Amino acid sequence: MSLRGRTHIVPHTVGLTQFLVVGCGRTRLALPAGIVRGLGRAQEAGSVIEPPVSRTDLADRFGLSRSARVEEGRTVLCGGRDLQHAFVVDEVIGLIEIEVDRIRPLPPHFAGPERIWFTGVFLLQGSAVLVVEPEWLLGSYPRMPGALSSRPSDPSESAPRALPPKPVMARHGAHGTMAAAAASVEFVEVGQLEEAGDAEETPWAEL
Amino acid sequence: MLKKPPGPSSKSARPCSLVMFFVGGRKAAARVEEVGGVWPWTDETMPVPSGTPFVNAVLRHGEEILPVYDLAAKLDVQVREPGSLCLIAKRADGPMAVRIDGDIPTLHAIDEGDIRRSPDPDPDLMGTCRVGADEVWIYSLATLGRVPIPRAEIPASCPAGGQDQRDPHAKDPGR
């Protein structure tokens, strides 16, 4: 039998998942599309969102330095079943759809609370992007003490807290299914914070 | 001659090759088998929010994403720019990038017996040895930056953050 004669195609299913990729300083973060409810300019967010939700600088949440001033950034409205929260970021890079296989676990060298903050990492246009754990982001998990050695920690956060006895790694199934992603995209399009005027700046066409 | 030449009668003489490099002007060395390569440093690093001491960035190398260990920060020095280099540390759980000065690393053959235990309790230090006129710190790249993690902080479900991360020789912090 000649190998050249074998042409049958092996069908395979590729799992896809969607993320909204945002930038905080030089760090790129991927928010599972399933939790994204809307987008807007940072300066408008306070007056547009009804009912008002708490707003946090995402860079502050992770102890990162920002490249833009708060009023120049963008607001990403995120929500889960019960919780809604607005996060200010430097830039919205785009909504992307990638194969689940391309997401790798965080290298084991990262051994601290970042293993809870991030469920994985992938490459996008030559840059690494960190996948944010949505439940932690939305506050289902307590904020971890001693986040960054380079930043002074809030004394109120220094008391050790026990982790909830829930698995924390790679739950893309919960937030990353095509159905959930499709629903979330629709949500992004109709969300209160959608800004049509900025569409050309955002590489949605690359999706 | 200060050093006894190795021979069949010398029981402790075991050859050992060291790569010597500079970090912020300070001499450091590592076993050659623990060095995965040296190439020019690129600024394609991305800061990673991290609670792991001195591991707070990743570097893209081709299709690989390598964690970056900030040895200069540990030594409280600044890497000399421009032309700094990237040394790949072959840590037991995967390669890791370390930024070093632009001076080309050099290879030195010594006897294992010449390595003295360091008085410094730093677990990253394997020991010291004399190369020429200088006393050089030898780093264990295979375990560089490995920190024992208290069991309570890492959930058992973390695939790479659980028990296999811990230094088996480390004392249980709970005791």
Side-chain angles (χ1 to χ4, degrees):
Chain A
M1 184 176 68
S2 164
L3 287 174
R4 290 178 63 189
R6 298 191 61 169
T7 55
H8 76 245
I9 298 160
V10 180
H12 67 283
T13 316
V14 179
L16 295 170
T17 185
Q18 284 188 321
F19 295 104
L20 183 73
V21 179
V22 299
C24 288
R26 288 170 50 216
T27 304
R28 288 183 170 197
L29 301 165
L31 308 175
I35 64 165
V36 177
R37 297 286 177 260
L39 299 173
R41 290 183 192 279
Q43 60 201 24
E44 299 165 351
S47 57
V48 173
I49 305 171
E50 280 296 334
V53 296
S54 56
R55 198 172 70 147
T56 307
D57 193 323
L58 193 57
D60 276 350
R61 179 95 168 160
F62 290 114
L64 291 164
S65 58
R66 297 193 58 204
S67 60
R69 288 179 307 188
V70 172
E71 60 269 26
E72 292 170 349
R74 296 286 183 272
T75 296
V76 182
L77 182 64
C78 295
R81 265 162 283 170
D82 308 316
L83 297 156
Q84 286 228 336
H85 205 106
F87 294 99
V88 179
V89 299
D90 285 341
E91 57 175 336
V92 173
I93 291 158
L95 183 69
I96 62 134
E97 185 173 76
I98 69 159
E99 293 148 23
V100 174
D101 294 352
R102 284 178 53 195
I103 302 167
R104 311 159 203 192
L106 202 63
H109 311 71
F110 291 97
E114 61 274 18
R115 301 206 70 80
I116 294 163
W117 305 339
F118 308 114
T119 58
V121 60
F122 62 87
L123 283 174
L124 175 70
Q125 295 166 349
S127 299
V129 181
L130 297 161
V131 179
V132 177
E133 161 59 51
E135 290 189 35
W136 178 81
L137 184 69
L138 292 173
S140 307
Y141 287 124
R143 192 168 174 176
M144 292 300 293
L148 284 177
S149 52
S150 60
R151 287 174 63 90
S153 59
D154 182 347
S156 64
E157 292 169 3
S158 60
R161 287 176 236 181
L163 281 170
K166 292 171 75 176
V168 296
M169 296 299 291
R171 271 190 297 275
H172 299 294
H175 294 283
T177 62
M178 282 304 289
S184 66
V185 171
E186 200 173 85
F187 233 123
V188 171
E189 286 170 358
V190 299
Q192 291 174 318
L193 292 174
E194 180 66 14
E195 47 176 342
D198 205 24
E200 287 179 7
E201 292 174 21
T202 314
W204 307 108
E206 292 174 11
L207 308 179
Chain B
M1 194 168 182
L2 291 173
K3 197 166 64 179
K4 196 188 284 183
S9 61
S10 169
K11 286 180 184 174
S12 61
R14 279 189 297 163
C16 172
S17 291
L18 294 180
V19 175
M20 205 163 75
F21 53 93
F22 291 84
V23 181
R26 187 181 288 190
K27 267 184 188 173
R31 284 172 180 269
V32 71
E33 59 268 26
E34 293 179 356
V35 176
V38 178
W39 57 71
W41 181 261
T42 59
D43 277 329
E44 291 182 26
T45 55
M46 185 189 80
V48 173
S50 166
T52 309
F54 310 114
V55 185
N56 44 28
V58 289
L59 171 72
R60 184 182 73 88
H61 180 65
E63 289 301 303
E64 268 191 290
I65 298 171
L66 300 176
V68 177
Y69 186 81
D70 195 347
L71 184 58
K74 181 188 167 83
L75 301 177
D76 202 17
V77 294
Q78 293 277 329
V79 171
R80 290 180 178 171
E81 294 185 75
S84 56
L85 300 170
C86 176
L87 180 143
I88 300 302
K90 287 164 79 174
R91 217 173 86 162
D93 50 0
M96 191 165 67
V98 181
R99 191 176 191 183
I100 62 172
D101 292 354
D103 306 74
I104 302 296
T106 51
L107 207 57
H108 296 266
I110 61 160
D111 284 343
E112 282 258 10
D114 293 341
I115 299 174
R116 288 178 297 281
R117 287 188 68 178
S118 166
D120 193 322
D122 184 351
D124 294 337
L125 270 180
M126 209 175 86
T128 65
C129 78
R130 187 162 285 278
V131 177
D134 300 316
E135 191 74 9
V136 180
W137 291 4
I138 306 169
Y139 284 88
S140 168
L141 298 187
T143 56
L144 186 66
R146 278 188 92 146
V147 284
I149 306 164
R151 283 170 191 269
E153 285 188 19
I154 299 295
S157 56
C158 289
Q163 288 185 327
D164 56 332
Q165 270 278 304
R166 298 180 190 116
D167 183 349
H169 305 296
K171 287 178 184 173
D172 186 343
R175 288 179 191 171

